[in-house]
Amino acid sequence: MHRRGVGAGAIAKKKLAEAKYKERGTVLAEDQIAQMSKQLETFKTHLEEFASKHKQEIRKNSQFRVQFQEMCATIGVDPLASGKGFWSEMLGVGDFYYELGVQIIEVCLALKHRNGGLITLDELHHRVLKGRGKFAQDVSQDDLVRAIKKLKAMGNGFGMIPVGGSYLVQSVPAELNMDHTVVLQLAEKKGYVTVSEIRDSLKWERERASHVLDHLLKEGLAWLDSQAAGEPQYWLPALFSELLSRDVTPEEANQMTP
Amino acid sequence: MDRFVWTNGLLEMNETLVIQQRGVRLYDGEEKAKLDVGVVLLSTHRLLWRDQKNHECCICIPLSQIIFFEEQAAGIGKSAKIVIHLHPAPENKEPGPYQHSKYSYIELSFKEHGQIEFYRRLTEEMTQKRWENTPVSQTSHGRTRAVGIVGIERKLEEKRKETDKNISEAFEDLSKLMEKAKEMVELSKSIANKIKDKQGDITEDETIRFKSYLLSMGIANPVTRETHGSGTQYHIQLAKQLGDMLQAPLEERGGMMALTEVYCLVNRARGMELLSPEDLVNACKMFESLKLPLRLRVFDSGVMVVQLQSHSEEEMIASALDNVSDKGSLTAEEFAKLLGLSVLLAKERLLLAEKMGHLCRDDSVEGLRFYPNLF
């Protein structure tokens, strides 16, 4: 480690500058860093005290977590930025959200072949809870949203699309612009959409509608039912998984004809 | 909903609480009841419901009134429910929230889950019918209750009050803590400004220390705007650990792994003191400067991967071209199967080879297929 400008002349110059600053009552940066070090120790103590009294609250109470996160955001602090941060180490918030991140990634990966990388927040919530088991801490949708926001740092196209009062969670880097999003929102009610419906509701020309639907097909986000009565239907597995499919029990499976 | 009667919510003698669940909304048939969200309680004799905010508002129905009940799975934007079909109300029924209803069933909507356990317990109680063995006097005795049982209800009430008190104390302490944290943020801003304006002479050592303070507090580095990223001891150490840990997994996976895959792998192995996504990214950014045999790479699509230094780009492209030529053409899925890669990474390799002019694509609704570029 070196100090810049070593040498008698440089030292003298520095002393002069320091003296000038001190005269004007300005505190120097290095003094402030020393001050920060002390304040940090004090803060750490306060945080430890807080943790010993309320760590359970954060673990058990999702409302409290929301409050905590919002307050941090207001003052400009990100408690989830690093596992090495005080917040994470002492309050355990980090592990809670980072583990949730792992579970979210795993669920999305497992279902990708079926829904192309798009899943409703509800279904994601349901499956994450299921995966966590009966005795694990409860997880709210707000918790999921925050964990997903953090996952964005790793590239890979994690994002959220507002649809019908909730969200679709995207976990692949498929490019989805406003047109695609609007069609997804239209399909939300029934789980599928047709070209005519798009033209009626959105007043688009046939070509624009087809273009958007083709893109969704290519990205594996939509499936085509060309044998539907009337006109072809474009189904979005992300939306209809909960509506129509159910987990089949072994007894039911035995009763089904092969 | 016209089967319900008002109650004080206290248990009678011989009546035991079996299970309770918060976050439940009642439905009169398929219409929302004109009540808010509350707590549903199952006892050996009755089904009770109490408003979460207004504890005075409490209603109940004897279990003997239940004909049958079933679960209704959750749907999009809909919570899981238990549908309960009821006998008609007796003529001398006490007053309740509804004088009259056109439905003979109600629904419990579990907004905060808990329906599985509740259903199980309800089934048990309805099978055992414990109320037949130990009849309780109904409200014909008015508000008198057996002494001793009052204690249970009082304890529940106290616990509720205690929880509320704890929460408000927690919030108060939280606010105070945040005030102190705010001071730290202000101080760090001031320091950053001075560094910028060169008010004082900062050594490299002090800069590193400053960055680690920011890391501890979770404050974004105000000078560089990057979240107190690379350059801290922590990330350097982490990068070295990753260098060791990821060698074998990378070899197994053709020399490349998506960053999200690495995140899961590393955190599952750790079990506790997990890495944040940003920790991982910042550590990986250091691979090159630390001369580790790994690299962080970002594809055009935004996908981030960690790859082995030894697997050069030319090698990957050449192998992609070989495979495609061999088979005539390949989709990302086929290529992934061939190499034992994830579909995502297989696609990226094919795209890369295409970018370099070695492959060309056939993009149709049947899928994206790659061919050797003969042009």
Side-chain angles (χ1 to χ4, degrees), chain A residues 55-122:
Chain A
K55 191 168 171 172
Q56 288 306 320
E57 213 57 60
I58 294 210
R59 242 177 36 87
K60 295 195 296 186
N61 189 336
S62 57
Q63 254 312 105
F64 194 68
R65 280 198 294 275
V66 172
Q67 263 305 98
F68 170 74
Q69 292 276 17
E70 292 188 350
M71 285 176 129
C72 284
T74 311
I75 60 170
V77 154
D78 182 0
L80 299 182
S82 170
K84 203 69 178 135
F86 285 160
W87 308 99
S88 181
E89 288 190 324
M90 281 186 251
L91 290 181
V93 261
D95 278 7
F96 175 79
Y97 286 99
Y98 305 149
E99 187 184 10
L100 197 51
V102 171
Q103 290 162 345
I104 292 171
I105 293 173
E106 289 177 343
V107 166
C108 288
L109 220 55
L111 295 173
K112 194 162 82 152
H113 67 282
R114 191 152 47 111
N115 58 30
L118 209 61
I119 185 174
T120 57
L121 187 57
D122 275 343

Side-chain angles (χ1 to χ4, degrees), chain A:
Chain A
M1 98 177 176
H2 4 247
R3 291 195 162 264
R4 303 191 199 113
V6 189
I11 294 177
K13 214 158 64 162
K14 185 170 186 294
K15 282 204 159 40
L16 185 58
E18 275 180 16
K20 267 205 225 157
Y21 281 128
K22 287 218 161 91
E23 216 172 50
R24 285 153 59 193
T26 327
V27 183
L28 296 172
E30 57 256 44
D31 293 336
Q32 278 195 312
I33 291 183
Q35 181 193 355
M36 187 167 184
S37 166
K38 284 205 201 88
Q39 274 193 246
L40 210 66
E41 282 308 311
T42 317
F43 181 79
K44 202 169 160 192
T45 317
H46 287 298
L47 187 55
E48 266 166 1
E49 214 186 289
F50 181 84
S52 67
K53 279 162 70 184
H54 304 296
K55 191 168 171 172
Q56 288 306 320
E57 213 57 60
I58 294 210
R59 242 177 36 87
K60 295 195 296 186
N61 189 336
S62 57
Q63 254 312 105
F64 194 68
R65 280 198 294 275
V66 172
Q67 263 305 98
F68 170 74
Q69 292 276 17
E70 292 188 350
M71 285 176 129
C72 284
T74 311
I75 60 170
V77 154
D78 182 0
L80 299 182
S82 170
K84 203 69 178 135
F86 285 160
W87 308 99
S88 181
E89 288 190 324
M90 281 186 251
L91 290 181
V93 261
D95 278 7
F96 175 79
Y97 286 99
Y98 305 149
E99 187 184 10
L100 197 51
V102 171
Q103 290 162 345
I104 292 171
I105 293 173
E106 289 177 343
V107 166
C108 288
L109 220 55
L111 295 173
K112 194 162 82 152
H113 67 282
R114 191 152 47 111
N115 58 30
L118 209 61
I119 185 174
T120 57
L121 187 57
D122 275 343
E123 186 178 359
L124 181 62
H125 191 197
H126 176 70
R127 288 188 185 261
V128 164
L129 281 176
K130 213 158 112 186
R132 286 168 74 94
K134 259 206 311 196
F135 301 105
Q137 277 166 271
D138 202 15
V139 156
S140 69
Q141 288 197 353
D142 182 85
D143 293 327
L144 287 177
V145 168
R146 288 183 198 274
I148 292 171
K149 284 206 181 125
K150 281 287 134 197
L151 292 178
K152 284 186 179 189
M154 298 193 288
N156 228 75
F158 261 95
M160 296 200 292
I161 303 170
V163 151
S166 178
Y167 292 99
L168 279 177
V169 176
Q170 183 184 348
S171 58
V172 287
E175 257 193 57
L176 294 180
N177 58 32
M178 279 304 304
D179 274 7
H180 302 119
T181 311
V182 151
V183 166
L184 287 174
Q185 289 165 342
L186 194 59
E188 195 257 342
K189 296 188 205 78
K190 294 186 288 185
Y192 71 87
V193 78
T194 62
V195 173
S196 312
E197 282 168 4
I198 295 178
R199 293 178 70 198
D200 289 338
S201 308
L202 303 174
K203 311 284 186 250
W204 290 358
E205 305 92 52
R206 174 166 286 277
E207 213 182 82
R208 185 174 173 190
S210 299
H211 184 71
V212 167
L213 292 171
D214 278 352
H215 182 82
L216 293 176
L217 279 179
K218 277 188 206 164
E219 293 292 345
L221 299 174
W223 293 0
L224 177 59
D225 179 6
S226 48
Q227 299 189 331
E231 62 178 301
Q233 293 170 344
Y234 292 77
W235 286 82
L236 286 121
L239 297 175
F240 72 64
S241 323
E242 291 257 315
L243 252 184
L244 295 182
S245 70
R246 262 187 341 137
D247 284 335
V248 175
T249 65
E251 299 83 67
E252 286 172 303
N254 285 336
Q255 287 169 9
M256 288 179 177
T257 52

Side-chain angles (χ1 to χ4, degrees), chain B residues 151-208:
Chain B
I152 296 179
E153 179 56 25
R154 189 170 291 148
K155 271 213 198 101
L156 278 177
E157 181 64 36
E158 272 172 19
K159 187 153 184 262
R160 249 198 313 278
K161 285 214 184 98
E162 175 85 27
T163 315
D164 284 346
K165 188 166 85 77
N166 281 345
I167 296 194
S168 41
E169 199 191 308
F171 276 126
E172 243 183 71
D173 288 346
L174 183 64
S175 305
K176 288 198 201 117
L177 189 71
M178 287 299 167
E179 282 302 314
K180 302 201 173 74
K182 194 162 168 206
E183 287 169 18
M184 302 293 299
V185 176
E186 295 305 322
L187 183 55
S188 70
K189 278 196 196 141
S190 171
I191 294 176
N193 283 332
K194 293 195 188 202
I195 294 180
K196 248 196 317 178
D197 299 344
K198 300 213 190 342
Q199 280 182 20
D201 210 1
I202 311 293
T203 64
E204 214 171 286
D205 212 38
E206 280 161 339
T207 312
I208 292 180

Side-chain angles (χ1 to χ4, degrees), chain B residues 58-233:
Chain B
C58 189
I59 55 179
C60 73
I61 193 172
L63 292 182
S64 51
Q65 285 243 263
I66 298 179
I67 305 177
F68 112 104
F69 56 98
E70 59 189 349
E71 283 177 291
Q72 199 183 86
I76 301 171
K78 290 197 286 206
S79 312
K81 296 194 175 67
I82 296 179
V83 181
I84 306 181
H85 296 263
L86 303 163
H87 286 295
E91 291 215 331
N92 56 348
K93 179 184 91 69
E94 299 278 330
Y98 278 65
Q99 286 289 66
H100 164 76
S101 163
K102 64 183 187 209
Y103 296 103
S104 62
Y105 68 97
I106 57 162
E107 294 181 356
L108 307 178
S109 174
F110 289 78
K111 312 211 95 50
E112 292 181 25
H113 300 274
Q115 69 278 5
I116 299 172
E117 191 58 20
F118 199 89
Y119 180 81
R120 192 171 78 75
R121 297 306 196 101
L122 183 58
T123 311
E124 254 174 44
E125 292 307 315
M126 291 304 293
T127 312
Q128 291 176 12
K129 294 194 185 347
R130 288 196 267 179
W131 68 84
E132 284 178 356
N133 305 331
T134 53
V136 291
S137 44
Q138 285 292 317
T139 47
S140 51
H141 283 246
R143 303 278 160 179
T144 58
R145 344 151 191 108
V147 178
I149 303 303
V150 173
I152 296 179
E153 179 56 25
R154 189 170 291 148
K155 271 213 198 101
L156 278 177
E157 181 64 36
E158 272 172 19
K159 187 153 184 262
R160 249 198 313 278
K161 285 214 184 98
E162 175 85 27
T163 315
D164 284 346
K165 188 166 85 77
N166 281 345
I167 296 194
S168 41
E169 199 191 308
F171 276 126
E172 243 183 71
D173 288 346
L174 183 64
S175 305
K176 288 198 201 117
L177 189 71
M178 287 299 167
E179 282 302 314
K180 302 201 173 74
K182 194 162 168 206
E183 287 169 18
M184 302 293 299
V185 176
E186 295 305 322
L187 183 55
S188 70
K189 278 196 196 141
S190 171
I191 294 176
N193 283 332
K194 293 195 188 202
I195 294 180
K196 248 196 317 178
D197 299 344
K198 300 213 190 342
Q199 280 182 20
D201 210 1
I202 311 293
T203 64
E204 214 171 286
D205 212 38
E206 280 161 339
T207 312
I208 292 180
R209 267 199 293 148
F210 180 51
K211 277 195 187 164
S212 78
Y213 298 159
L214 295 178
L215 184 75
S216 301
M217 286 298 302
I219 301 173
N221 188 331
V223 177
T224 63
R225 284 276 105 209
E226 63 179 23
T227 4
H228 44 265
S230 19
T232 71
Q233 264 308 107

